[in-house]
Amino acid sequence: MYTSREDVTEAIVIARVRKGLNWADIARQVGRSKEWTTCACLGQMVFSEDEARTVIGLFDLDQTALPWLCAVPYKGSFDGGAPGDPLLYRWYEMLSVYGPALKELIHEEFGDGIMSAIDFRMQVGREADPAGDRVRVTISGKFLPYRPY
Amino acid sequence: MYTSREDVTEAIVIARVRKGLNWADIARQVGRSKEWTTCACLGQMVFSEDEARTVIGLFDLDQTALPWLCAVPYKGSFDGGAPGDPLLYRWYEMLSVYGPALKELIHEEFGDGIMSAIDFRMQVGREADPAGDRVRVTISGKFLPYRPY
Amino acid sequence: MYTSREDVTEAIVIARVRKGLNWADIARQVGRSKEWTTCACLGQMVFSEDEARTVIGLFDLDQTALPWLCAVPYKGSFDGGAPGDPLLYRWYEMLSVYGPALKELIHEEFGDGIMSAIDFRMQVGREADPAGDRVRVTISGKFLPYRPY
Amino acid sequence: MYTSREDVTEAIVIARVRKGLNWADIARQVGRSKEWTTCACLGQMVFSEDEARTVIGLFDLDQTALPWLCAVPYKGSFDGGAPGDPLLYRWYEMLSVYGPALKELIHEEFGDGIMSAIDFRMQVGREADPAGDRVRVTISGKFLPYRPY
Amino acid sequence: MYTSREDVTEAIVIARVRKGLNWADIARQVGRSKEWTTCACLGQMVFSEDEARTVIGLFDLDQTALPWLCAVPYKGSFDGGAPGDPLLYRWYEMLSVYGPALKELIHEEFGDGIMSAIDFRMQVGREADPAGDRVRVTISGKFLPYRPY
Amino acid sequence: MYTSREDVTEAIVIARVRKGLNWADIARQVGRSKEWTTCACLGQMVFSEDEARTVIGLFDLDQTALPWLCAVPYKGSFDGGAPGDPLLYRWYEMLSVYGPALKELIHEEFGDGIMSAIDFRMQVGREADPAGDRVRVTISGKFLPYRPY
Amino acid sequence: MYTSREDVTEAIVIARVRKGLNWADIARQVGRSKEWTTCACLGQMVFSEDEARTVIGLFDLDQTALPWLCAVPYKGSFDGGAPGDPLLYRWYEMLSVYGPALKELIHEEFGDGIMSAIDFRMQVGREADPAGDRVRVTISGKFLPYRPY
Amino acid sequence: MYTSREDVTEAIVIARVRKGLNWADIARQVGRSKEWTTCACLGQMVFSEDEARTVIGLFDLDQTALPWLCAVPYKGSFDGGAPGDPLLYRWYEMLSVYGPALKELIHEEFGDGIMSAIDFRMQVGREADPAGDRVRVTISGKFLPYRPY
Amino acid sequence: MYTSREDVTEAIVIARVRKGLNWADIARQVGRSKEWTTCACLGQMVFSEDEARTVIGLFDLDQTALPWLCAVPYKGSFDGGAPGDPLLYRWYEMLSVYGPALKELIHEEFGDGIMSAIDFRMQVGREADPAGDRVRVTISGKFLPYRPY
Amino acid sequence: MYTSREDVTEAIVIARVRKGLNWADIARQVGRSKEWTTCACLGQMVFSEDEARTVIGLFDLDQTALPWLCAVPYKGSFDGGAPGDPLLYRWYEMLSVYGPALKELIHEEFGDGIMSAIDFRMQVGREADPAGDRVRVTISGKFLPYRPY
C-alpha cells in the first residue's frame, strides 16, 4: 500500500532495476516521449488514468498507486542555491525537475560517465510557433566514460 | 587601467549598453559563434591575442585589457547549492558558466521575459563523432514576455 | 493512534487522495472557507472541537486525532532564507503558512501547472474597517499547464 | 554617469526621498499602474524609451540613465532559501521581484508598520480570459502601525 | 523503555495533549514556577530526583525515564543563524532554550495566535542583588489571535 | 550629504562616541523612552519631523538627514536562521530590531559584559488592555562583566 | 533483499568489519587496483557482472545485490560548499567521490591518524599520452597517528 | 604602500599578468619548487627575508611589502562546506591552501581547461622516512581544453 | 548486533545513564586518562582489543561491538557552524573572541605552523575559588611548522 | 580620524607589522597579560583610558582612537561555521572531536551549567619536548550552574 507519490517513485526505481527494464521501452508502452515518461516515472509529472494503469502493470505496482500517479506531486530534486534572476531560475528549475531523468537517459544510452561541460557547444535560436514563439537551445557535449583501472 | 578580468568584464558590459551593440554583431566581428563570444565577453573564456584586440577595439577598452582577456579567468557565476552527482553537476556548471550569456542572447532575440520551464520540451540523443560520441540535448520552451500594465 | 499533529496531517493527506475528496466539499462540510479549511487540514490552524469531529469523520481518522486537531501546532512549511524586513517577512510567512493550501487549491481548480509570475498583475489598496483599516492586495496570474509530449 | 541599472535605481531612491515624491504621482506621469511603476523604478522592469525619459525628468537623472532603464535587468531582491516546488517558487519569485514595491506602496498609503499575516484572509478563484484563464488571489490583512512610546 | 532525553520529552508532549493537562497545574505539582517547569518538561533543564518522580507520575511515564530526567541534556531548539556578539548571543540562546516553553505558555493563556512585535514595548533596568546586580527587561506585546473565516 | 538611512545611522553612531553622549540623555531631549529612542537612532524606527530636527541638532548632522529619519527604513540587523513558527519568529524579529538597542542600553548601564542566560529567570503573564489584552514577559539575568587580567 | 545501492554499500561496510577483510585482498580478488575497488565497493563506481559476482561472494551478499552493483549510482559523499571554478571543482569532486576510499586505504596501511597538510609537499607535472596528455600530481604528507594517553 | 598581505598578493597577481612572467621562472629565481613558490606568492606561505626581497624585485613591489611577505598570513581560499572527519578535512584544506596554485600551474603548463576527474587514476602508497613515514598519493587525470567554436 | 560505530556509541550512552556509571571510574578500568576514554567511548577514538573487551564488559555490550570499537571511525560531532548546546557554544565563542589572539601568540612564539589536534592531550579539572569554583582545562598539542621545499 | 573600532584595529594591525613590535612587549607596556592585551588590541575588549593612551602611543594612532578603544565593541571573529585558517581550524576540530567528552566531564564534576567565556582567563606557552616542542594552553573559566526557580 503506497501512502505518497515518493513511495510510488521508489517502488518504480526498484522494480526497474530488478526487472532490467529500459526507459525507451517503458515510454513506448506508455505512448509518450522517453524524456517526459522518465521524468514522470521519477515523480515529477501527472499521468492520465490510462497511462497510470500501464505504469502499474509494467512495474507490478499494487492498485493503491493509481491515485498518487494521477495527483499533482511536489516537484523538484535540488535543495536550494538557486539563482535569483527569473530567466536563469527557469533553467535551474528545469534541471531540478528534469535532471534525474536526464541522468537516467544518458546512462541508458552511454553507460556510466558524464556529458562534458568543457568539450561542449551550445546554440540558441528561435522556433516560430502560432501559439507564441519558442526559444530553442541545442547543447552538445562529449560523453566521457568512467573506466576501471 | 584594468587590474583584473572582472574589471574588463564590467567595462565591456558598460560599453555595450552605452553603445547599443548587439552580441550577434560582436560575434561576427570576433569571428566566433554568438554563444561562445557572449560567454567569453562576460569573462568565462580565453581570447586569442587577435580576438582580444578586436574586442578592445569594439568596446574602446585601453590596452591594459589585453593580458587579462588572454589569461585563464576564475569562472562561474553562481554561488553554490550545486548537486553532488558528477553528471548533474556538469549541467549546473554549464548553467553557471553559460547562464549569463544565455540570458543576454535570449533578451537580445526576444526582449524582457523568460523561457518557460512549464510549456517546455526536451530531447536527448547521440551524436556520432570520430573523436568520441557526444550527447545532444535539444530544449524548447515558450517565450513569455513581461508586459507593463 | 496519532502522536503528533504531523501524524494527523499525513493521515489526512493520504485519506484525501485515497478517497478522491475535494477541498471545496470538505470546506463546505466543515463550514468554513475553502482557503482556511485547506490550510487547517494541512496542519497550520486550530480546529474547534465540532470542526475536528467533522474532519475525523470525513477522513476516517481514529479518535486520538481530536486533541491534536484542537491544539496549537508548530506552523510554517519553509526552511529558511526569509527576508529580514518585518513587512516583507509577513509575506514570506504567509507563503510558508498558506503555500501548501494555495498549491492544493490551484491544482484542484486548474490541474497540474503553475500560476505565472511573468504574465502577472498586482493591485494594492485600502479596505476600510471599523476595527482598523486593512491592506487588500489582488493578484492575477495566467495559469500555465504542464502538458505531456 | 551611471554604469549599471543598480546605480540608476539607487539614484531614483535617493531623489525620491530628497524631493518627497509620491509613487502614485510618479505612476500617473509615467502612465502606468502604481504597482508596475514602483516595481520598475526599483530596478525590476524594462521601461520604453518614452517612459524612461519621463523617469529621467522626474528624478533629475542625467542622460546616461536612458540605456540602463531600457535594458533587461538582473531581477530579484532576495538571497535564497526559495521553495523547490515550481508553483510555490513562482510566489516566492513574485515576492522577490515585487516585494520592495509592495513595501513602498503600503508605507505610502499607511505609514510605518506591517500588514498582518495573522489577522488575515485569502481567497483563490478563477478569472476567465480568452488568452487562457487566470488565477486570481485576493489577500486582506490588517495594517498594524509601529507606534513610538 | 526510554533511550534518550528526547524520547522522554516526546512522551511528555504526547501525554500532555492526550490527558489535557495544564502547564500551570503541572508546575504547581512539581513545586516550581510555570516558566522553569515548562522549559524543563520540554527537555532543557535537569530535574531533581523528587521532581522527576512527580513528572513520571503526572504523565504516566515508565521508570526508565528517571535517569534521563536527572541527566544534563543537550539543550537548544534552534538550528543556527545566531548573532556573533556575546551579549546578543545570550538573548538568542535564551530564545532557543526557552522559546518552546514561551510558545506553550502563551498558547495556554491566550490560545492560538502570536505576541505582536509591532504593537510592542520594551523596558530595560537594573535589579540590585547582593550576589551581583541583574539586568531586568520587561516586554509587552499585544496578543493577536488567528481567527477562522 | 546622506544618501541612505544607513549613512545617517553610521553618522549618529560615530558622533555619539566622539561626543560621549548618553542614550538616556538623548531620549530625554527627544521626548521618548530610552528604549524606543535608541532603537530609532540605530535606524529601526521612523521619527516625526520635530524629533528628527532634535536628533540632527544633538549629533550635528547636516539637513539632508531629515527625510531619511522620517522615511520607513529597511529594518532588522540579523542575517537569517530565523525559526519558522510565527510566534517564535516574532521574538526573533524583536531581537533583530531591538537587539542593537538592548546592547547599547545594557552597556550604558553596566559597562562591558553580558546578561547571563544561565543565571536567569523569566515570567510570562497577561496585561489587561481595553484595546486587546497584551502578553507581558519579565526577564531577569545576572550581569557578568568582562575583566582584564 | 536490497532496494538501493546505498543498501548494498551499507551491507558491504558491515560485512567487511565483521569478517576483518582487507581492501588490498578484496581488490586482488576483484582483479582491479585497490583504489578503484575500494571506491566502487563504497558505492561510487559500476561493477561488471563478473566483478559483482565476486563482490557478492566475498561479502556474503544475497543475489538481489547484483543489479544494483551494475547500475550507475548517484555519486558523491560531500554536501556542498564546492568551489565554483571548474578546475578547482574537479578536485573537490575527486575528493567527494574518492575521499571515503582514500580514508579507508590510509587507515588500512597506517592505522588511525591523518595525513598532514602541513608537513606536506606537492608536485605538478605532465604525463605524455597518445590519447591526450595528462596532468600528474604527486602529493606527500607525513602520517600523524592518534595516540591514546 | 601595502596595508595587508592581501594587498601584496593582489599586486603580485596584477604584476605577473602585466609583465607576462612564468611561475616556473619565478620559482627558479626564488630558489624553491614551483609548487611552493606559487602557493606562497598567492598569499598562503611565509617568505624568508631574502626570498621576500627577490619577490619584491621580480614584481616591482615597493619596500612596504617586506614585513607582510614575512608575516604569517590568514590562509585558505574556500568559504566552507568542509567535511567534518579530520582525515578528509586535511585534503579539503590542502585544496583550499594549494588550490589557487594548482590552478595557476596547470594553466601555465596546459592552457585553459581542466584536469578530468572522470578519466582519472589515483594510487595510494607509503613513503618510508626516518622522521616518520609519509603517505604518498599519485593522481593522474586527462587534461581537457576549452575550445572556442 | 551492532552494524556501525554509531550503534555502539548509542548503546554506551544509554547503558551509562541506566547504570549510573562515572566517566572517571570507566577510565580507571580502561587504564587511560578520563579525557581520552570519554572521547573514545563517545565514538571518536580507536580502542585496542584489550580495552575494547573492558568496554564491552562495563556496558554489557554484545560481542559484535568488538570490531567496531577497534576500527577507525568517522570523527567529528559538529556540522559546520556553531554548536547549539550552551556549554559547547561558550567554547566556540571563546574561539571566536580569542582565536585571532591565539593565532598571533602561537605564531609569535613558534613561527608559521599549527598546533596539532592529532598529537594532542587535554586535561579537565576543578580550580577552587572563593567567588565560585572554576573549570580549568589544559591543552597540549605538538607544534607543526610549515616548511618550504 | 577613526570612525569605528574596526578602523582602530586595522590601524593597530598595520602599525605592528610595519614597526615589527612584539605582542609580549606591547603587553608589558600596557601592564596586562599578553593574552588579554592581544585580544583587546584585536578589537575584542575594552581598554581603560590609561591603557588606551599607552596603546595610542605604541602604535602612533591619532587621538580620535581614544573613545573607540574605551567603548564596548561588537565582538567575535567567526561567521558561524568553521574558520578557514588552518591554525584556527585545528581548534574548531578539537572542539568537534573532544566537545562531547568535555561536556560530559564538566557535567560529571560540576553538574548542569556552563563554563563561562566571560569570567575567563587564557594562557599560552611553550612545552619543551625532545620529539618537537608543544603549544600548551591553559584555560580557566568560572562554572555557572543552571538553577531552578
Side-chain angles (χ1 to χ4, degrees):
Chain A
M1 199 195 88
Y2 306 103
T3 60
S4 69
R5 180 69 185 264
E6 286 72 32
D7 279 9
V8 181
T9 302
E10 198 191 342
I12 288 175
V13 168
I14 294 173
R16 200 188 68 91
V17 170
R18 193 78 54 70
K19 308 184 136 212
L21 298 176
N22 250 173
W23 291 115
D25 291 341
I26 295 163
R28 236 184 319 267
Q29 303 211 34
V30 171
R32 294 285 179 193
S33 68
K34 72 178 186 301
E35 287 77 11
W36 186 87
T37 309
T38 310
C39 188
C41 285
L42 294 175
Q44 305 286 331
M45 297 288 163
V46 172
F47 287 103
S48 71
E49 278 209 27
D50 273 10
E51 292 162 355
R53 268 187 255 279
T54 308
V55 167
I56 287 173
L58 278 166
F59 297 110
D60 291 339
L61 310 176
D62 72 62
Q63 292 303 318
T64 62
L66 194 83
W68 294 112
L69 289 166
C70 303
V72 182
Y74 273 73
K75 303 178 184 217
S77 63
F78 288 178
D79 264 357
D85 181 80
L87 185 141
L88 292 178
Y89 181 77
R90 262 68 182 176
W91 278 82
Y92 179 86
E93 180 183 305
M94 174 269 278
L95 211 51
S96 180
V97 170
Y98 277 91
L102 208 50
K103 182 174 161 72
E104 289 293 331
L105 293 172
I106 292 175
H107 292 327
E108 178 160 314
E109 177 70 26
F110 294 89
D112 193 8
I114 57 136
M115 171 180 159
S116 182
I118 308 292
D119 188 337
F120 174 90
R121 285 190 299 271
M122 187 179 72
Q123 217 180 2
V124 182
R126 178 188 287 263
E127 199 177 278
D129 189 310
D133 280 8
R134 305 175 71 83
V135 186
R136 160 180 289 255
V137 181
T138 311
I139 289 169
S140 157
K142 189 177 180 180
F143 181 75
L144 301 178
Y146 276 102
R147 287 205 195 82
Y149 54 94
Chain B
M1 202 195 85
Y2 305 104
T3 61
S4 69
R5 179 70 184 262
E6 286 72 33
D7 279 9
V8 180
T9 302
E10 197 192 343
I12 288 174
V13 168
I14 295 172
R16 200 187 69 92
V17 170
R18 195 79 53 71
K19 305 183 136 211
L21 297 176
N22 249 175
W23 290 115
D25 291 342
I26 294 163
R28 237 184 320 267
Q29 302 213 34
V30 170
R32 296 282 179 195
S33 67
K34 73 179 187 298
E35 286 79 9
W36 185 87
T37 307
T38 308
C39 188
C41 284
L42 294 176
Q44 304 285 331
M45 297 288 164
V46 173
F47 287 104
S48 70
E49 279 211 26
D50 272 11
E51 292 162 355
R53 267 187 257 281
T54 308
V55 166
I56 288 173
L58 279 167
F59 296 109
D60 291 341
L61 310 176
D62 72 64
Q63 292 302 317
T64 62
L66 193 80
W68 294 113
L69 289 166
C70 302
V72 182
Y74 273 72
K75 303 178 185 216
S77 64
F78 289 178
D79 266 357
D85 181 79
L87 186 143
L88 292 177
Y89 180 77
R90 262 67 182 178
W91 277 82
Y92 180 84
E93 179 183 306
M94 176 269 278
L95 211 52
S96 181
V97 169
Y98 277 91
L102 209 51
K103 183 175 160 72
E104 289 293 332
L105 292 173
I106 293 175
H107 292 327
E108 179 161 314
E109 179 70 26
F110 294 89
D112 194 8
I114 56 134
M115 170 181 160
S116 181
I118 307 293
D119 189 336
F120 174 90
R121 282 191 302 271
M122 186 181 71
Q123 217 181 2
V124 182
R126 178 187 289 263
E127 198 177 278
D129 188 310
D133 280 8
R134 306 175 70 82
V135 185
R136 162 179 289 254
V137 180
T138 309
I139 290 167
S140 157
K142 189 175 180 182
F143 182 75
L144 302 178
Y146 277 102
R147 286 205 196 81
Y149 55 93
Chain C
M1 200 195 88
Y2 306 104
T3 60
S4 70
R5 180 69 184 264
E6 286 73 32
D7 279 10
V8 181
T9 303
E10 198 191 342
I12 288 175
V13 168
I14 294 172
R16 200 188 68 92
V17 170
R18 194 79 53 71
K19 307 184 136 212
L21 298 176
N22 249 174
W23 291 115
D25 291 342
I26 295 162
R28 236 183 321 267
Q29 303 210 35
V30 171
R32 295 285 179 192
S33 68
K34 72 178 185 301
E35 287 78 10
W36 186 87
T37 308
T38 309
C39 188
C41 285
L42 294 175
Q44 304 287 331
M45 297 288 165
V46 172
F47 287 103
S48 71
E49 279 210 27
D50 273 11
E51 292 162 355
R53 269 186 256 279
T54 310
V55 166
I56 287 172
L58 278 166
F59 297 109
D60 291 339
L61 309 176
D62 72 63
Q63 291 303 318
T64 62
L66 193 84
W68 294 113
L69 288 166
C70 302
V72 182
Y74 274 72
K75 302 179 185 215
S77 63
F78 288 178
D79 265 357
D85 182 80
L87 185 140
L88 293 178
Y89 181 79
R90 262 68 181 176
W91 278 82
Y92 179 85
E93 179 182 305
M94 173 271 276
L95 211 52
S96 180
V97 170
Y98 278 89
L102 208 51
K103 183 175 160 70
E104 289 291 334
L105 293 172
I106 292 174
H107 292 326
E108 178 160 316
E109 179 70 28
F110 293 89
D112 193 8
I114 58 137
M115 171 180 160
S116 182
I118 308 291
D119 188 337
F120 175 91
R121 283 190 301 271
M122 186 179 74
Q123 216 181 2
V124 182
R126 177 188 288 264
E127 197 177 279
D129 189 310
D133 281 7
R134 305 175 70 84
V135 186
R136 161 180 289 257
V137 181
T138 311
I139 290 169
S140 156
K142 189 176 180 182
F143 181 75
L144 302 178
Y146 276 102
R147 286 205 195 82
Y149 56 94
Chain D
M1 201 195 85
Y2 306 104
T3 61
S4 70
R5 179 70 184 262
E6 286 72 33
D7 279 10
V8 180
T9 302
E10 198 192 342
I12 288 174
V13 169
I14 295 172
R16 199 187 69 93
V17 171
R18 194 81 51 71
K19 307 185 135 210
L21 298 176
N22 250 176
W23 289 115
D25 291 341
I26 294 163
R28 237 183 319 268
Q29 302 211 34
V30 170
R32 296 285 179 191
S33 67
K34 73 179 186 300
E35 287 79 9
W36 186 88
T37 308
T38 309
C39 188
C41 284
L42 294 175
Q44 305 285 332
M45 297 288 164
V46 173
F47 287 103
S48 72
E49 279 210 27
D50 271 11
E51 293 162 353
R53 267 186 257 279
T54 309
V55 167
I56 287 172
L58 278 166
F59 296 109
D60 292 340
L61 309 176
D62 72 63
Q63 291 303 317
T64 62
L66 193 80
W68 294 111
L69 289 166
C70 302
V72 182
Y74 272 72
K75 302 180 185 213
S77 64
F78 289 179
D79 265 358
D85 181 79
L87 185 142
L88 293 177
Y89 181 79
R90 263 62 181 182
W91 277 82
Y92 179 85
E93 179 183 305
M94 175 271 276
L95 212 52
S96 180
V97 169
Y98 276 91
L102 208 50
K103 182 175 161 71
E104 289 294 330
L105 292 172
I106 292 174
H107 292 326
E108 179 161 315
E109 179 69 27
F110 293 89
D112 193 9
I114 56 133
M115 171 181 161
S116 183
I118 308 293
D119 189 337
F120 175 89
R121 282 190 303 270
M122 187 180 71
Q123 218 182 1
V124 182
R126 178 189 287 264
E127 200 177 276
D129 189 310
D133 280 9
R134 305 176 70 83
V135 186
R136 161 179 289 254
V137 180
T138 310
I139 290 168
S140 157
K142 190 176 180 181
F143 181 76
L144 302 177
Y146 276 102
R147 286 206 196 80
Y149 55 93
Chain E
M1 201 195 84
Y2 305 105
T3 60
S4 70
R5 180 70 185 264
E6 287 71 34
D7 278 9
V8 181
T9 302
E10 198 191 342
I12 289 174
V13 168
I14 294 172
R16 201 187 68 92
V17 170
R18 194 81 51 72
K19 305 182 138 215
L21 298 175
N22 248 175
W23 290 116
D25 291 342
I26 294 162
R28 236 183 321 268
Q29 303 211 34
V30 171
R32 297 283 180 193
S33 66
K34 72 179 186 300
E35 288 77 10
W36 185 87
T37 308
T38 310
C39 188
C41 285
L42 294 175
Q44 304 286 332
M45 297 288 165
V46 173
F47 287 103
S48 70
E49 280 210 25
D50 272 10
E51 293 162 355
R53 269 187 255 277
T54 310
V55 166
I56 286 172
L58 278 166
F59 296 110
D60 292 339
L61 309 177
D62 72 66
Q63 292 302 318
T64 62
L66 193 82
W68 294 113
L69 288 166
C70 302
V72 182
Y74 274 71
K75 302 177 185 218
S77 64
F78 289 177
D79 265 357
D85 181 80
L87 186 141
L88 293 177
Y89 180 78
R90 263 68 182 177
W91 277 81
Y92 180 85
E93 179 183 304
M94 175 271 277
L95 211 53
S96 180
V97 170
Y98 278 90
L102 208 51
K103 182 175 161 71
E104 289 292 333
L105 293 171
I106 293 175
H107 292 325
E108 178 160 315
E109 180 69 28
F110 294 90
D112 193 9
I114 57 136
M115 170 180 160
S116 182
I118 307 292
D119 189 337
F120 175 91
R121 283 189 301 272
M122 185 181 72
Q123 216 180 1
V124 182
R126 177 188 289 264
E127 198 177 278
D129 189 310
D133 281 9
R134 304 174 72 82
V135 186
R136 163 180 287 257
V137 181
T138 311
I139 291 168
S140 157
K142 189 174 180 182
F143 181 75
L144 302 177
Y146 276 102
R147 285 204 197 83
Y149 56 94
Chain F
M1 199 197 87
Y2 306 104
T3 59
S4 70
R5 180 68 185 264
E6 286 72 33
D7 278 9
V8 181
T9 302
E10 198 192 343
I12 288 174
V13 168
I14 294 173
R16 201 187 68 92
V17 171
R18 193 81 51 70
K19 308 185 136 210
L21 298 175
N22 250 174
W23 290 115
D25 292 341
I26 294 163
R28 238 183 319 268
Q29 303 211 34
V30 171
R32 294 286 180 192
S33 67
K34 71 179 187 300
E35 287 78 10
W36 185 88
T37 309
T38 310
C39 188
C41 284
L42 294 176
Q44 305 286 331
M45 297 288 165
V46 172
F47 288 103
S48 71
E49 278 211 27
D50 272 10
E51 293 162 353
R53 268 187 256 279
T54 309
V55 167
I56 287 173
L58 278 166
F59 296 108
D60 292 339
L61 309 177
D62 72 63
Q63 291 304 318
T64 60
L66 194 80
W68 295 112
L69 289 165
C70 303
V72 182
Y74 272 73
K75 303 178 184 215
S77 64
F78 288 179
D79 265 358
D85 181 80
L87 185 141
L88 293 177
Y89 181 79
R90 262 67 181 176
W91 278 82
Y92 179 87
E93 179 183 304
M94 174 270 276
L95 211 52
S96 180
V97 170
Y98 276 91
L102 208 52
K103 182 175 161 72
E104 289 292 332
L105 293 172
I106 292 174
H107 292 326
E108 179 161 314
E109 180 69 28
F110 294 88
D112 193 8
I114 56 135
M115 171 180 161
S116 183
I118 308 291
D119 189 337
F120 174 91
R121 284 190 301 270
M122 187 180 73
Q123 218 182 1
V124 182
R126 177 188 289 263
E127 200 178 278
D129 189 311
D133 281 9
R134 304 175 71 82
V135 185
R136 162 180 287 254
V137 181
T138 311
I139 289 169
S140 158
K142 190 176 179 181
F143 181 75
L144 301 177
Y146 276 101
R147 287 205 195 83
Y149 56 92
Chain G
M1 201 197 85
Y2 306 104
T3 59
S4 70
R5 179 71 184 261
E6 287 70 34
D7 278 10
V8 181
T9 302
E10 198 191 343
I12 288 175
V13 169
I14 294 172
R16 200 187 68 92
V17 171
R18 193 78 54 70
K19 309 184 135 213
L21 298 176
N22 250 175
W23 290 116
D25 291 342
I26 294 162
R28 236 183 322 268
Q29 302 211 36
V30 171
R32 295 285 180 194
S33 67
K34 71 179 188 300
E35 288 77 9
W36 185 86
T37 309
T38 310
C39 187
C41 284
L42 295 175
Q44 304 285 331
M45 296 289 163
V46 172
F47 287 103
S48 71
E49 279 209 26
D50 272 9
E51 292 162 354
R53 267 187 257 280
T54 309
V55 166
I56 287 173
L58 279 166
F59 297 109
D60 292 339
L61 311 176
D62 72 63
Q63 293 302 319
T64 61
L66 194 83
W68 294 113
L69 289 167
C70 303
V72 183
Y74 271 71
K75 304 179 183 214
S77 63
F78 289 178
D79 265 358
D85 181 79
L87 185 142
L88 292 177
Y89 180 77
R90 262 70 182 176
W91 277 83
Y92 179 86
E93 179 184 304
M94 176 270 278
L95 212 52
S96 180
V97 170
Y98 278 90
L102 209 51
K103 183 174 161 69
E104 289 292 331
L105 293 173
I106 292 174
H107 292 327
E108 179 161 313
E109 177 70 27
F110 294 90
D112 193 8
I114 57 135
M115 171 180 160
S116 182
I118 308 292
D119 189 337
F120 174 89
R121 285 189 300 273
M122 187 181 72
Q123 218 182 1
V124 182
R126 176 188 290 262
E127 200 177 279
D129 188 311
D133 280 9
R134 303 175 72 84
V135 186
R136 161 180 287 255
V137 180
T138 311
I139 289 169
S140 158
K142 190 176 179 180
F143 181 74
L144 302 177
Y146 276 103
R147 286 206 195 82
Y149 54 93
Chain H
M1 199 196 85
Y2 305 104
T3 60
S4 70
R5 180 69 184 262
E6 286 70 33
D7 279 9
V8 180
T9 302
E10 197 191 342
I12 287 174
V13 168
I14 295 172
R16 200 187 70 91
V17 169
R18 195 79 53 70
K19 305 183 137 214
L21 297 176
N22 249 174
W23 290 115
D25 291 342
I26 293 162
R28 238 184 319 268
Q29 303 213 34
V30 170
R32 295 282 179 195
S33 68
K34 71 179 189 298
E35 286 79 9
W36 186 87
T37 308
T38 309
C39 187
C41 284
L42 294 176
Q44 303 286 332
M45 296 289 162
V46 173
F47 287 102
S48 71
E49 280 210 26
D50 272 12
E51 293 162 354
R53 268 187 257 278
T54 308
V55 166
I56 288 173
L58 278 166
F59 295 109
D60 293 339
L61 310 177
D62 73 64
Q63 292 301 319
T64 61
L66 194 82
W68 294 112
L69 289 167
C70 302
V72 182
Y74 273 72
K75 302 177 185 217
S77 63
F78 289 178
D79 266 357
D85 181 79
L87 187 143
L88 292 178
Y89 179 77
R90 263 67 182 176
W91 278 82
Y92 180 85
E93 179 183 305
M94 176 270 279
L95 212 52
S96 180
V97 170
Y98 277 91
L102 208 52
K103 183 176 160 70
E104 289 292 333
L105 293 173
I106 292 174
H107 292 326
E108 178 161 314
E109 179 69 28
F110 294 89
D112 193 8
I114 57 135
M115 169 179 161
S116 182
I118 308 292
D119 189 336
F120 174 88
R121 283 190 300 272
M122 186 180 72
Q123 216 181 2
V124 182
R126 177 188 289 262
E127 197 177 279
D129 189 311
D133 281 9
R134 304 175 71 82
V135 186
R136 163 180 287 255
V137 180
T138 310
I139 289 168
S140 157
K142 189 175 180 181
F143 181 76
L144 303 177
Y146 276 102
R147 286 204 195 84
Y149 55 92
Chain I
M1 201 196 84
Y2 305 105
T3 59
S4 70
R5 178 71 185 263
E6 287 70 35
D7 278 9
V8 181
T9 301
E10 198 191 342
I12 288 174
V13 168
I14 294 172
R16 201 187 69 92
V17 170
R18 194 80 51 71
K19 306 183 137 214
L21 298 175
N22 248 177
W23 290 116
D25 292 341
I26 294 162
R28 237 183 319 270
Q29 304 211 36
V30 170
R32 296 282 179 194
S33 67
K34 70 179 189 300
E35 287 78 9
W36 185 87
T37 309
T38 310
C39 188
C41 285
L42 295 175
Q44 304 286 330
M45 297 288 163
V46 172
F47 287 103
S48 70
E49 279 209 28
D50 272 12
E51 293 161 355
R53 268 186 257 279
T54 309
V55 166
I56 287 172
L58 279 166
F59 295 110
D60 292 340
L61 310 177
D62 71 65
Q63 293 302 319
T64 61
L66 193 83
W68 294 112
L69 289 166
C70 302
V72 183
Y74 272 72
K75 302 177 184 218
S77 64
F78 289 177
D79 264 0
D85 180 80
L87 185 142
L88 293 178
Y89 181 79
R90 263 70 182 172
W91 278 82
Y92 180 84
E93 178 183 307
M94 175 270 277
L95 212 52
S96 180
V97 170
Y98 277 90
L102 207 53
K103 183 176 161 70
E104 288 292 333
L105 293 172
I106 292 174
H107 291 326
E108 178 161 313
E109 179 69 27
F110 294 88
D112 193 8
I114 56 135
M115 170 180 161
S116 182
I118 308 291
D119 189 338
F120 174 90
R121 285 189 300 271
M122 186 180 73
Q123 218 182 358
V124 182
R126 177 189 289 262
E127 200 176 276
D129 188 311
D133 281 8
R134 303 175 70 83
V135 186
R136 163 181 286 256
V137 181
T138 311
I139 289 168
S140 158
K142 189 175 179 182
F143 181 74
L144 302 178
Y146 276 103
R147 286 204 196 86
Y149 55 92
Chain J
M1 199 196 87
Y2 306 103
T3 59
S4 70
R5 179 70 184 263
E6 286 71 34
D7 278 9
V8 181
T9 302
E10 197 191 344
I12 287 175
V13 169
I14 294 173
R16 201 187 68 94
V17 170
R18 193 79 54 69
K19 305 183 138 214
L21 297 175
N22 250 172
W23 289 115
D25 291 341
I26 293 162
R28 240 184 317 270
Q29 302 211 36
V30 170
R32 295 284 180 193
S33 68
K34 70 180 189 299
E35 287 78 9
W36 185 87
T37 310
T38 310
C39 187
C41 284
L42 295 176
Q44 305 285 331
M45 298 288 164
V46 172
F47 288 103
S48 70
E49 278 211 26
D50 272 10
E51 292 163 354
R53 268 187 255 281
T54 308
V55 166
I56 287 172
L58 278 165
F59 296 109
D60 293 340
L61 309 177
D62 72 63
Q63 291 302 318
T64 60
L66 195 80
W68 294 113
L69 289 167
C70 303
V72 182
Y74 273 73
K75 302 178 185 218
S77 63
F78 289 178
D79 266 357
D85 180 79
L87 185 142
L88 294 177
Y89 181 79
R90 261 71 181 176
W91 277 83
Y92 179 85
E93 178 183 305
M94 176 271 278
L95 212 52
S96 179
V97 170
Y98 277 91
L102 208 52
K103 182 174 162 71
E104 289 291 332
L105 292 172
I106 292 175
H107 292 326
E108 178 161 312
E109 178 70 28
F110 294 89
D112 193 9
I114 57 133
M115 170 180 160
S116 182
I118 307 293
D119 189 337
F120 175 90
R121 283 189 301 273
M122 186 181 71
Q123 218 181 359
V124 182
R126 176 189 290 263
E127 198 177 279
D129 189 312
D133 281 9
R134 303 175 72 82
V135 186
R136 163 180 286 256
V137 180
T138 311
I139 290 168
S140 157
K142 190 176 179 180
F143 181 76
L144 303 177
Y146 276 102
R147 286 203 196 85
Y149 55 94

